[in-house]
Amino acid sequence: MGTVRTGTDEAGERGRLVNVAYRLLGSLTEAEDAVQDAYARWYGLSPSRREEIRSPGAWLTTVTGRICLDLLGSARARRERYAGAWLPEPLPDRAEWDVADPADRIVLDESVGMAFLVVLDSMTPAERVAFVLHDVFRYPFADISGVLGRTPAACKQLAASARRRIGAAPAPVPAAGRAEVVRRVREAWESKDIAALVGLLDPAAVMTADGGGLAGTAPRPVEGAARIARYMVAVAERAPGLELLERSVNGVPGLVARRAGGVETVASFEISEGRVTRIWVVRNPEKLRPWTRTPAPDPEAGVAATRRAGRPRPR
C-alpha cells in the first residue's frame, strides 16, 4: 500500500493509532492530538515521497510513537506545575455510555485499566514506549528501534525493565469479584456507613484524587481505611443529591458520581483479597469530557428510586 486511503481504511488506521497513543500518554486528548499531528506530517509530504513509503501504517506508527515520546519527556516538567496529583484520563464503556469520539475508538482491555496505566506512568518514557509497542501491540524491536533511536537489543532491555515493574503489580481480580466489592462500596457510601467502608478497605489503602486545580479534591493522597472512609462520607454530606452509578471505568467495574445530571467524579479501584487497596478519583472536568453525554439506561428498572427510598437493593 503506497498511500493511506481515506474512508474506512484511514478510520481504522486512526483508531489503531489512537489506541497506541492513549496507552503511551494516558490522555485521550493528547492521544488524539498526537495522531492528528502524525497525519499532518504525512499529508505534508510530497505525493512522490508518500509513494516511496512501502508501509504508510508503519510510518505513521513510528511518527506517532516519536511524538508521544517527546510528549512523555516533557510531561514530567508539566506535572510539576500541575495542581495536585495527576491521573490518567478515565474512559467510559460505549455499551454503558453515549461515548463521545474519539473515546469510542479505544479498545477497553487490561492494558487500559487504571492500575495498569498508573504503573505505566511510573516508567521512563523509553521504557513505556518499548513495553507498550512490544508487549501490548506486538511490534518487533527492530521497528521500535526506529521510534526510540536505539538498537533493537537496547529496546529489548528497556521492555524487560518495564516488564519487571509490571510484574510487581498485584494480580487482577476477576470481574465478578470486583463488581461485588464496588457494589458494596457504593452501598456503604450512599448510606454514609463509615464502619462498613472501613471493613471494605484494606487498612493500608490509599486514595489519590485528581482535580487539576479545577475541582475540589484532597491535595495529597489519603492513607488508611479509617481516614478514607471519613473523607468519603464527608464528601457525600457536602453533596446532597449525589447519584452514584456502577459503571465500567477503563474496562473494569468502577463508580461514577453525578449531580444535577452532570458527571462530577469517576472512581477506579484496585482490589486484592476482597478489599480495596487503591482508589483513583478523577474530578478534573477536562478529563471527564467523554463522560458528558447521557448514560445508557440502568438495566435494573427502579433501582434508582429504590436507593433514594433507602430500601436494600434487590438482588
Side-chain angles (χ1 to χ4, degrees), residues 147-311:
V147 177
L148 295 177
R150 308 192 188 194
T151 66
C155 294
K156 185 175 182 179
Q157 290 179 344
L158 287 167
S161 175
R163 208 172 294 123
R164 286 192 291 271
R165 296 179 190 258
I166 294 292
V173 176
R178 296 178 65 93
E180 174 64 17
V181 173
V182 170
R183 178 185 65 81
R184 292 168 64 194
V185 169
R186 178 193 57 74
E187 291 174 342
W189 196 359
E190 284 182 328
S191 62
K192 304 181 180 65
D193 189 335
I194 291 179
L197 284 170
V198 169
L200 291 166
L201 296 166
D202 185 272
V206 178
M207 183 184 72
T208 304
D210 177 347
L214 302 174
T217 59
R220 290 175 296 276
V222 182
E223 301 179 356
R227 291 184 63 196
I228 294 172
R230 289 195 296 269
Y231 181 87
M232 292 174 69
V233 169
V235 168
E237 290 176 342
R238 292 196 301 267
L242 195 69
E243 178 187 16
L244 296 177
L245 304 175
E246 296 172 36
R247 292 291 188 269
S248 293
V249 180
N250 287 60
V252 296
L255 290 178
V256 175
R258 293 199 309 165
R259 188 164 59 156
V263 172
E264 293 188 348
T265 303
V266 174
S268 305
F269 302 87
E270 182 175 84
I271 297 168
S272 178
E273 298 181 355
R275 287 188 170 187
V276 175
T277 57
R278 292 293 303 264
I279 306 175
W280 296 284
V281 178
V282 177
R283 301 201 70 235
N284 183 342
E286 293 183 350
K287 294 186 177 184
L288 298 179
R289 288 172 180 168
W291 301 80
T292 57
R293 297 189 181 184
T294 306
D298 193 320
E300 300 179 58
V303 167
T306 300
R307 292 175 190 164
R308 287 193 292 271
R311 296 190 293 273

